[in-house]
């Protein structure tokens, strides 16, 4: 045992009861900080993972827009399945009620395999559509009902009846992301080609990649193969602002919750400076015996970690436990009509754990460094004079 | 100056350089003010968010709307409505609502058209700004999608109902008079205003018929009683009830998280007072031996706790006021408008909540400083002096 460790232990033990007591408080402060940070980060991760998987389930991992052939792409390595699509603003109509929607014509044979949609009913066949839950609710329609679908952009300005197609609702999906449930209508490519007369071909191809494939390297391969005539976007590019907003929220949370650490660090600094006041005589003697300034500094820092570090680790472990328990049993409910799931999702990434530990230890180090600096630099003469 | 106050002030502003009790007090004040700032900013954002949403919604939708229960056209000469309109003629304005397609070159999009006589305050800044036939006012989101600017010409195209003749399909050229930016995606992307008569023409309304009436005066609350089947009155708050419910649910986790910062700040006060008592136990012993009442000594530390509370409240309050003011004035913190409903963090001065936060934290401060003073009661002068 090196002597600094020994002295720091002696200093802690010999402090009066109330100093020990307030040391407990600095433990509590750091613990609360760690706990709050772990819990809120894991909740944010939970929501984020949920939204990401839903977005990917809805759009695939990569989108190639432009005139390309399906076979060109499916030859590449790492691709699980491709989905050609055509997309157009269109109208669906039921009596007097009209809604402007995004009509998305897709290869219906692959639909169940490609999309990860909670679907009530079946994938559309010829002259059938799948609509979102909110849209169905607003129109008062259910599976099996009929609606009119048409695409005003594709009609000419001349006279003549709008080409409308009567279609049956074969299923209703519910994604609960943004306004998708109100906006999208799926139909078969066959119907799409008939409706979108002015379109000459596919709008693009959505790609779902195999697990463990690096999306950006695949994107690079695709660019090499297809050239510059087509646009290739990952799902993150497509939902740039949502992804950015979530990153920003996470940063905001970390910054704001670091304030708990800051306040707890104030407490630690106060506790340590009390100990400094009380032990100034001993420090004077140690210095007189030749202890270097750094050693005194080390002793104080060690004491800081001894108190607050323990608290931080306790809070850390409690937070992780809460996340595990919640995932297992789902004790904390949330209203499912607003957030689309019943239990609060909690996901922890190793990266976040490191961040929390790093931030809390930085604050402890800083507080004990500042509190100990004065003591470490006390002149021997002054220190011994102080002693009564 | 009473004795206990003088002693408390001496402990706070000690003439000794590096006095522990004043350092600890100021650290506690710092921690508390950070906590109070965090809580106040939270309250301010929640209030501001609600306020911005309320202002925008009410300005775009009027205080409320009278509509037919089945969404049918309303005849203004109808006797039941006529008397109502006669008596409050100034606060009503008629509107015609419908969905149509806007086209500009190759771009087209579906919009919600609202035919009115004067533009909402939020757009024109002036309540009497008239819109004249042949003009359209669109949201910025729509303008970007269609790549149109002020002064451009666009075509409105109505989807004809199935039964009508081919000639009934209306196409109306209009000029973009203004592009508005509400910050609410729902409006910026889907709403467009044209003149009432244009809208009647476009959607096939007769001269005396409208979709409903907008109520602009907040004070006529009895209107609800006077309206009977088949008409109904709906305020903007009822229309968007789910949104407000969402805000109310989001509020509590935020208060709890930021309350934790204040909580740690209050724990700091307990620790600080306890440490000050420990440090001063020699002096307390002397004072007791000289016959000072225990209650007087207790009150010294209570005054110190109260001072910490007051200072923390003042500094925290001022800090948050400055932050809110700076944000309102210079709009420093921006957020993506596509995900949230607005483009910057909506701070506002929520004085009742601020007052409540200050009062509650002050009460907690007093309790927190009262608790450690119990030690004073148990202190034995002989033992206290023996430590010295």
């Amino acid at each position: 045992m090196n002597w600094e460790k020994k002295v720091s232990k002696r200093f802690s033990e010999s402090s009066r009861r109330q100093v020990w007591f307030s040391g407990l408080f600095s433990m509590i402060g750091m613990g609360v900080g760690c706990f709050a940070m772990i819990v809120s980060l894991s909740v944010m991760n939970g929501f984020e993972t949920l939204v990401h998987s839903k977005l990917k389930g809805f759009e695939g991992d990569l989108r190639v827009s432009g005139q390309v052939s399906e076979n060109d792409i499916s030859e590449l390595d790492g691709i699980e399945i491709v989905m050609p699509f055509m997309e157009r603003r269109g109208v669906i109509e039921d009596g007097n009620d009209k809604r402007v929607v995004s009509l998305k014509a897709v290869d219906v044979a692959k639909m169940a395999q490609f999309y990860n949609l909670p679907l009530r009913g079946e994938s559309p066949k010829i002259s059938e559509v799948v609509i979102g839950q909110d849209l169905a609710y607003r129109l008062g329609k259910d599976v099996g009902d009929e609606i009119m679908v048409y695409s005003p952009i594709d009609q000419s300005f001349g006279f003549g009846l709008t080409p409308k197609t009567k279609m049956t609702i074969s299923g209703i999906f519910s994604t609960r992301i943004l306004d998708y449930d109100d906006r999208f209508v799926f139909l078969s490519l066959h119907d799409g080609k008939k409706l979108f007369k002015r379109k000459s071909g596919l709008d693009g191809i959505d790609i779902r990649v195999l697990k463990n494939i690096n999306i950006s390297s695949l994107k690079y391969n695709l660019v090499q193969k297809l050239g510059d005539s087509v646009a290739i976007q990952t799902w993150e590019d497509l939902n740039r602002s949502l992804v950015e907003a979530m990153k920003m929220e996470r940063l905001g949370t970390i910054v704001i919750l670091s304030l708990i650490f800051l306040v707890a660090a104030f407490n630690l600094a106060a506790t340590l400076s009390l100990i400094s006041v009380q032990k100034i005589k001993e420090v004077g003697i140690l210095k007189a015996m030749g202890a270097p300034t750094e050693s005194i500094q080390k002793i104080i820092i060690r004491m800081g970690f001894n108190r607050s570090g323990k608290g931080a680790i306790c809070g850390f472990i409690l937070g992780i436990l809460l996340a595990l328990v919640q995932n297992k049993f789902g004790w904390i409910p949330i209203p499912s009509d607003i957030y689309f799931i019943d239990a609060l999702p909690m996901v922890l990434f190793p990266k976040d754990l490191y961040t929390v530990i790093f931030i809390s230890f930085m604050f402890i180090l800083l507080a004990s460094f500042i509190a100990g600096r004065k003591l470490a630099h006390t002149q021997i003469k002054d220190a011994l004079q102080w002693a009564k | 100056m009473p004795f206990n106050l003088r002693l408390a002030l001496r402990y706070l502003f000690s003439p000794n350089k590096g006095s522990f009790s004043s350092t600890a007090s100021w650290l506690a004040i710092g921690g508390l003010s950070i906590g109070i700032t965090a809580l106040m900013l939270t309250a301010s954002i929640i209030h501001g968010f609600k306020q911005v949403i309320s202002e925008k919604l009410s300005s775009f939708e009027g205080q409320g709307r009278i509509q037919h229960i089945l969404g049918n056209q309303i005849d203004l000469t109808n006797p039941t409505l006529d008397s109502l309109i006669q008596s409050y003629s100034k606060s009503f304005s008629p509107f015609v609502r419908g969905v149509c397609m806007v086209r500009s070159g190759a771009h087209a999009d579906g919009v919600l058209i609202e035919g009115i006589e004067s533009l909402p305050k939020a757009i024109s800044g002036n309540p009497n700004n008239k819109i004249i036939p042949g003009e359209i006012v669109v949201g910025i989101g729509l303008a970007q999608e269609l790549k149109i600017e002020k002064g451009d010409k666009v075509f409105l195209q109505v989807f004809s109902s199935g039964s009508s003749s081919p000639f009934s399909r209306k196409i109306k050229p209009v000029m973009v008079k203004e592009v508005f930016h509400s910050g609410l995606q729902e409006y910026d992307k889907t709403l467009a205003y044209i003149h009432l008569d244009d809208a009647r023409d476009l959607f096939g309304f007769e001269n005396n018929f409208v979709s409903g009436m907008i109520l602009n005066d907040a004070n006529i609350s009895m209107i609800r009683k006077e309206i009977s089947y088949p008409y109904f009155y709906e305020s903007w708050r009822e229309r968007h009830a789910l949104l407000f419910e969402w805000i109310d649910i989001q509020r509590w986790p935020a208060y709890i998280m930021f309350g934790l910062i204040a909580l740690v700040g209050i724990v700091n006060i307990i620790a600080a007072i306890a440490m000050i008592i420990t440090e001063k136990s020699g002096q307390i012993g002397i004072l007791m031996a000289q016959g000072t009442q225990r209650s007087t000594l207790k009150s010294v530390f209570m005054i110190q706790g109260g001072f910490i509370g007051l200072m923390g409240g003042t500094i925290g309050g001022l800090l948050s006021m400055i932050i809110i003011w700076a944000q309102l004035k210079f709009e420093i913190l921006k957020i993506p408008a596509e995900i949230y409903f607005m483009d910057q963090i909506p701070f506002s001065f929520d004085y009742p909540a601020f007052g409540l936060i200050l009062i509650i934290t002050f009460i907690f401060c007093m309790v927190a400083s009262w608790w450690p003073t119990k030690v004073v009661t148990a202190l034995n002068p002989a033992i206290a002096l023996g430590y010295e």
Side-chain angles (χ1 to χ4, degrees), chain A residues 247-287:
Chain A
K247 271 192 192 144
M248 195 187 70
E249 270 178 28
R250 170 197 296 273
L251 187 69
T253 311
I254 291 178
V255 170
I256 289 168
L257 291 183
S258 293
L259 289 179
I260 301 185
F261 289 139
L262 181 64
V263 175
F266 282 179
N267 189 356
L268 179 64
T271 314
L272 290 177
S273 65
L274 177 62
I275 293 173
S276 306
V277 170
Q278 286 176 340
K279 299 292 175 198
I280 196 156
K281 189 172 57 181
E282 285 86 341
V283 170
I285 295 169
L286 282 173
K287 288 192 98 173

Side-chain angles (χ1 to χ4, degrees), chain A residues 331-344:
Chain A
W331 279 333
I332 308 167
I334 48 173
S336 53
D337 54 337
I338 294 178
Y339 298 103
F340 45 92
I341 38 164
D342 312 322
L344 198 65

Side-chain angles (χ1 to χ4, degrees), chain A residues 18 22 25 89 91 98 150 152 155 157-158 160 164 241-242 249 256 260 262-263 266-267 270 274 338-339, chain B residues 18 20 27 31 34 99 103 109-110 159-160 169 171 246 250 258 261 267-268 270 274-275 278 338-340 375:
Chain A
Q18 276 181 339
S22 55
F25 282 126
R89 277 293 174 116
V91 178
K98 303 186 193 84
Y150 56 100
Q155 16 175 312
F157 268 107
K164 284 187 196 175
S241 55
L242 190 67
E249 270 178 28
I256 289 168
I260 301 185
L262 181 64
V263 175
F266 282 179
N267 189 356
L274 177 62
I338 294 178
Y339 298 103
Chain B
F20 167 73
L27 282 174
I34 292 174
V99 178
R103 258 168 110 143
D109 207 343
F159 324 123
S160 52
R169 185 143 55 86
I171 292 170
W246 177 75
Q250 292 264 309
F258 299 118
I261 304 179
V267 166
N268 274 5
I270 304 180
M275 286 189 289
T278 315
E338 281 171 54
I339 308 297
Y340 307 100
V375 182

Side-chain angles (χ1 to χ4, degrees), chain A residues 70-88:
Chain A
E70 220 177 303
N71 298 331
D72 277 359
I73 293 174
S74 30
E75 280 168 11
L76 277 169
D77 287 339
I79 286 172
E80 188 187 340
I81 186 168
V82 296
M83 172 63 91
F85 70 92
M86 293 166 88
E87 199 171 344
R88 194 62 129 177

Side-chain angles (χ1 to χ4, degrees), chain A residues 125-266:
Chain A
K125 294 181 203 55
I126 304 295
S127 64
E128 282 183 340
V129 289
V130 166
I131 67 175
Q133 185 185 301
D134 291 352
L135 190 63
Y137 172 75
R138 284 182 201 224
L139 292 171
K141 291 284 172 189
D142 203 353
V143 176
D145 290 344
E146 283 184 339
I147 47 166
M148 306 294 282
V149 179
Y150 56 100
S151 164
I153 308 171
D154 291 293
Q155 16 175 312
S156 56
F157 268 107
F159 297 123
L161 265 172
T162 325
K164 284 187 196 175
T165 321
K166 188 179 265 182
M167 291 192 167
T168 313
I169 300 172
S170 73
I172 290 171
F173 67 84
S174 149
T175 61
R176 293 273 168 204
I177 18 175
L178 302 178
D179 58 345
Y180 285 9
D181 291 352
D182 197 20
R183 204 171 80 199
F184 281 101
V185 169
F186 286 98
L187 59 159
S188 66
L189 268 181
H190 176 85
D191 291 324
K193 276 172 192 152
K194 259 200 306 192
L195 271 171
F196 314 144
K197 288 199 180 101
R198 291 189 171 184
K199 271 200 195 293
S200 48
L202 292 177
D203 279 330
I205 291 177
D206 279 341
I207 300 167
R208 184 167 293 286
V209 301
L210 289 171
K211 275 187 189 137
N212 310 322
I213 294 287
N214 186 344
I215 293 185
S216 46
S217 72
L218 186 70
K219 183 178 166 184
Y220 179 76
N221 287 346
L222 276 171
V223 174
Q224 294 289 309
K225 192 174 164 81
L226 301 170
D228 293 336
S229 60
V230 294
I232 301 168
Q233 290 162 302
T234 63
W235 67 272
E236 275 175 330
D237 298 331
L238 290 169
N239 301 288
R240 170 86 28 224
S241 55
L242 190 67
V243 172
E244 292 285 311
M246 284 184 152
K247 271 192 192 144
M248 195 187 70
E249 270 178 28
R250 170 197 296 273
L251 187 69
T253 311
I254 291 178
V255 170
I256 289 168
L257 291 183
S258 293
L259 289 179
I260 301 185
F261 289 139
L262 181 64
V263 175
F266 282 179

Side-chain angles (χ1 to χ4, degrees), chain B residues 26-68:
Chain B
W26 285 104
L27 282 174
I29 289 170
L32 188 67
S33 52
I34 292 174
I36 287 177
T37 310
L39 265 181
M40 279 191 162
L41 292 183
T42 313
S44 164
I45 290 178
I46 291 166
H47 187 255
F49 190 71
K50 257 187 170 167
Q51 203 177 30
V52 168
I53 297 252
S54 304
E55 259 168 34
K56 286 188 172 163
L57 293 180
S58 64
S59 112
F60 275 93
E61 312 215 335
Q63 285 303 319
R65 288 175 176 217
I66 298 170
Q67 275 167 287
H68 192 278

